[in-house]
Amino acid sequence: EAGVTQFPSHSVIEKGQTVTLRCDPISGHDNLYWYRRVMGKEIKFLLHFVKESKQDESGMPNNRFLAERTGGTYSTLKVQPAELEDSGVYFCASSRATDYYGYTFGSGTRLTVV
Amino acid sequence: GENVEQHPSTLSVQEGDSAVIKCTYSDSASNYFPWYKQELGKRPQLIIDIRSNVGEKKDQRIAVTLNKTAKHFSLHITETQPEDSAVYFCAANAGSARQLTFGSGTQLTVLP
């Protein structure tokens, strides 16, 4: 099966700009997760979709972050306006409805805010 | 919520030696503990996992042990090879929430 695809792989933006990250999960995977790893720290949970619904967004740091999953397929994560502390690697993972911990990760988007 | 601590942050071993990475967790309701390996520039990939109804699981050179009483679990890699060099993450499921809580990662370097 095709893997989880994330785009772009790298993004460098200036503070105050907007960036949109995209994740295409494995087809048929109802669960889609966003995580972030800030340099040297843990991979931290941001939010969890089940199909198109937000199941848990308790990890979203603030209202500058907006995630969507229209139609229950791909997902986008928008950061607007970006701040320096938003820099890090953003990972997406997907899993089947019957095995929600059975993550397949994407390769991540490395976001650098300067 | 769940908190996972991972040690050490870096680990260097000679090829052929063993490597051990340790994690502790806080939520006694956690019952699933996976380990992921992330090679440079690649995606994290599941290498082994353990559920709370067993104390040890082995897959060739890799083993994981779990002590539920002490709330800690460990990854053991024997006969290390240069291709084992990577960042390793432990994780625990966050009780009733359908998400994983990760440790901060261990950079393992196997010296030839």
Side-chain angles (χ1 to χ4, degrees):
Chain A
E1 58 184 3
V4 176
T5 305
Q6 290 188 246
F7 183 83
S9 57
H10 293 83
S11 180
V12 181
I13 61 171
E14 291 185 351
K15 176 181 170 180
Q17 288 187 321
T18 297
V19 63
T20 300
L21 314 181
R22 173 168 168 149
C23 169
D24 286 73
I26 291 174
S27 178
H29 279 195
D30 286 350
N31 294 295
L32 188 149
Y33 301 83
W34 283 99
Y35 283 83
R36 173 174 74 174
R37 189 183 191 212
V38 172
M39 173 106 64
K41 299 201 173 176
E42 73 272 24
I43 300 175
K44 204 160 185 183
F45 170 78
L46 295 178
L47 89 158
H48 170 208
F49 284 100
V50 176
K51 296 184 180 178
E52 67 276 8
S53 299
K54 289 177 186 172
Q55 178 80 12
D56 182 351
E57 52 184 330
S58 62
M60 295 287 263
N62 52 59
N63 60 9
R64 295 186 294 103
F65 289 75
L66 175 65
E68 294 179 328
R69 190 182 182 194
T70 307
T73 54
Y74 69 91
S75 174
T76 58
L77 180 64
K78 185 193 298 189
V79 185
Q80 180 182 29
E83 299 289 344
L84 299 180
E85 64 264 26
D86 300 333
S87 296
V89 181
Y90 289 76
F91 288 104
C92 173
S94 71
S95 64
R96 299 178 200 279
T98 52
D99 182 20
Y100 36 85
Y101 298 133
Y103 288 11
T104 299
F105 275 94
S107 297
T109 294
R110 181 175 295 279
L111 174 64
T112 303
V113 183
V114 298
Chain B
E2 175 68 283
N3 183 47
V4 176
E5 301 279 342
Q6 182 171 348
H7 299 280
S9 56
T10 61
L11 178 61
S12 291
V13 298
Q14 290 294 136
E15 183 177 355
D17 287 351
S18 295
V20 180
I21 302 170
K22 299 183 179 182
C23 289
T24 60
Y25 62 98
S26 60
D27 188 348
S28 55
S30 295
N31 58 9
Y32 176 65
F33 307 92
W35 286 87
Y36 288 84
K37 174 184 180 182
Q38 186 184 17
E39 296 177 75
L40 193 61
K42 297 190 176 180
R43 68 194 67 208
Q45 289 197 298
L46 177 71
I47 55 170
I48 195 166
D49 57 13
I50 192 167
R51 296 191 183 269
S52 60
N53 56 346
V54 297
E56 185 174 358
K57 184 175 177 181
K58 205 169 181 180
D59 183 4
Q60 299 182 346
R61 297 184 298 108
I62 292 173
V64 57
T65 58
L66 171 65
N67 183 328
K68 283 221 76 179
T69 304
K71 293 201 204 119
H72 67 71
F73 57 113
S74 300
L75 178 71
H76 305 253
I77 305 174
T78 57
E79 299 169 25
T80 53
Q81 300 166 3
E83 53 265 37
D84 294 329
S85 296
V87 179
Y88 290 80
F89 293 96
C90 63
N93 64 328
S96 59
R98 294 189 174 186
Q99 52 166 283
L100 294 174
T101 299
F102 287 84
S104 54
T106 296
Q107 174 68 61
L108 173 65
T109 304
V110 179
L111 305 167

